């Protein structure tokens, strides 16, 4: 009996591409808080029909990356101070735990990789590039947490990062940093020393300090 190749659904492929691209744009702060968008506009921008655009938006709304009003208006999240504080609290609980779980597997090659990402983060600060700053900051954290081998925790964390992406961009613009954050250096030092309490403290401080400026 001949094997019939399964037909791939072009809508499914278009939806997945749009979903992943938009998700990354929101997480990295490429879109500011409250940025409005339409299904028609997204379809035109990405060269897809309304169906995959609608499905991608539906998934992103479910993840908190986009908001959908009762009138059908789609936009990036505009977070209240209470919501920012709540998301910062989740980060303060989850991320030190993931870092601690990663510590036994934080070998020299990982520390070197994190230092290289941190150099790009510092470069983004010098260039005042908000999107590159948010992207390299998240890459630093994700690279470390992948070693925790805790996929459920990382998935929750990524949902929080998604909701915070546009706000992190706004925060960066507000603070106008001239110096790279010192907490990444403290994280690297704690990893080298095998210092779990120091690592937990450095991560907790790093992920909450900036957000307090917005929630305060």
């Amino acid at each position: 009996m001949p094997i019939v190749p399964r037909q791939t659904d072009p809508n499914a492929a278009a939806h997945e591409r749009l979903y992943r691209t938009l998700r990354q744009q929101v997480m990295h702060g490429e879109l500011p808080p409250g940025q409005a968008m339409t299904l028609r506009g997204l379809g035109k921008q990405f060269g897809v029909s309304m169906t995959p655009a609608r499905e991608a938006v539906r998934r992103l709304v479910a993840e908190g990356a986009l908001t959908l009003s009762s009138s059908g208006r789609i936009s990036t999240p505009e977070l209240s101070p209470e919501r920012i504080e709540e998301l910062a609290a989740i980060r303060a609980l989850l991320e030190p735990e993931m870092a601690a779980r990663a510590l036994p597997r934080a070998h020299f090659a990982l520390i070197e990789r994190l230092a290289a990402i941190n150099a790009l983060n510092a470069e983004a600060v010098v260039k005042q590039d908000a999107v590159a700053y948010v992207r390299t900051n998240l890459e630093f954290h994700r690279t470390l947490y992948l070693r925790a081998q805790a996929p459920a925790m990382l998935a929750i964390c990524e949902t929080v990062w998604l909701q915070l992406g546009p706000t992190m961009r706004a925060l960066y613009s507000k603070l106008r940093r001239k110096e790279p954050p010192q907490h990444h250096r403290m994280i690297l030092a704690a990893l080298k020393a095998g210092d779990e309490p120091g690592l937990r403290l450095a991560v907790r401080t790093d992920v909450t300090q900036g957000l307090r400026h917005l929630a305060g």
Side-chain angles (χ1 to χ4, degrees):
M1 189 177 167
I3 296 170
V4 180
R6 223 170 64 191
Q7 294 296 312
T8 55
D9 179 355
N11 269 347
H15 148 249
E16 191 63 29
R17 178 167 51 87
L18 173 53
Y19 164 75
R20 288 186 181 282
T21 305
L22 254 184
R23 188 178 190 271
Q24 185 170 294
Q25 286 180 350
V26 173
M27 190 183 286
H28 291 166
E30 290 178 41
L31 305 171
Q35 170 81 52
M37 54 191 78
T38 64
L39 292 176
R40 194 177 301 282
L42 288 170
K44 191 174 177 185
Q45 183 184 344
F46 290 93
V48 301
S49 68
M50 293 283 275
T51 302
R54 188 179 292 109
E55 185 59 22
V57 165
R58 186 191 63 76
R59 281 177 71 184
L60 290 164
V61 168
E63 287 185 296
L66 297 175
T67 59
L68 184 62
S69 72
S70 53
S71 63
R73 182 179 180 272
I74 306 159
S75 61
T76 53
E78 287 185 282
L79 303 178
S80 66
E82 293 76 23
R83 183 72 168 165
I84 293 167
E85 192 280 324
E86 180 191 1
L87 293 172
I90 294 170
R91 291 194 71 180
L93 287 167
L94 266 185
E95 296 191 40
E97 176 64 23
M98 280 193 288
R101 287 176 182 235
L103 184 57
R105 286 178 287 275
H107 305 307
F108 181 74
L110 174 69
I111 294 169
E112 286 285 287
R113 172 85 186 113
L114 291 171
I117 297 167
N118 199 42
L120 294 174
N121 187 245
E123 200 177 290
V125 172
V126 172
K127 291 179 176 173
Q128 298 278 292
D129 186 337
V131 174
Y133 174 80
V134 174
R135 185 182 68 246
T136 51
N137 186 43
L138 291 182
E139 189 185 350
F140 180 90
H141 287 273
R142 184 190 279 109
T143 301
L144 173 58
Y145 303 156
L146 280 170
R147 291 297 174 94
Q149 296 179 2
M153 283 188 192
L154 186 56
I156 294 168
C157 202
E158 286 203 349
T159 303
V160 173
W161 292 346
L162 254 180
Q163 293 175 57
L164 281 170
T167 297
M168 293 301 289
R169 174 201 174 128
L171 167 65
Y172 181 86
S173 302
K174 182 179 176 184
L175 291 183
R176 286 282 169 214
R177 275 206 171 104
K178 296 286 189 289
E179 296 290 321
Q182 79 237 29
H183 304 111
H184 284 189
R185 291 198 297 275
M186 291 162 65
I187 290 168
L188 290 168
L191 288 169
K192 285 175 187 168
D195 175 9
E196 186 186 317
L199 179 61
R200 284 179 179 270
L201 178 62
V203 170
R204 188 180 303 112
T205 308
D206 183 51
V207 302
T208 58
Q209 189 191 52
L211 291 171
R212 289 208 186 95
H213 289 277
L214 283 181

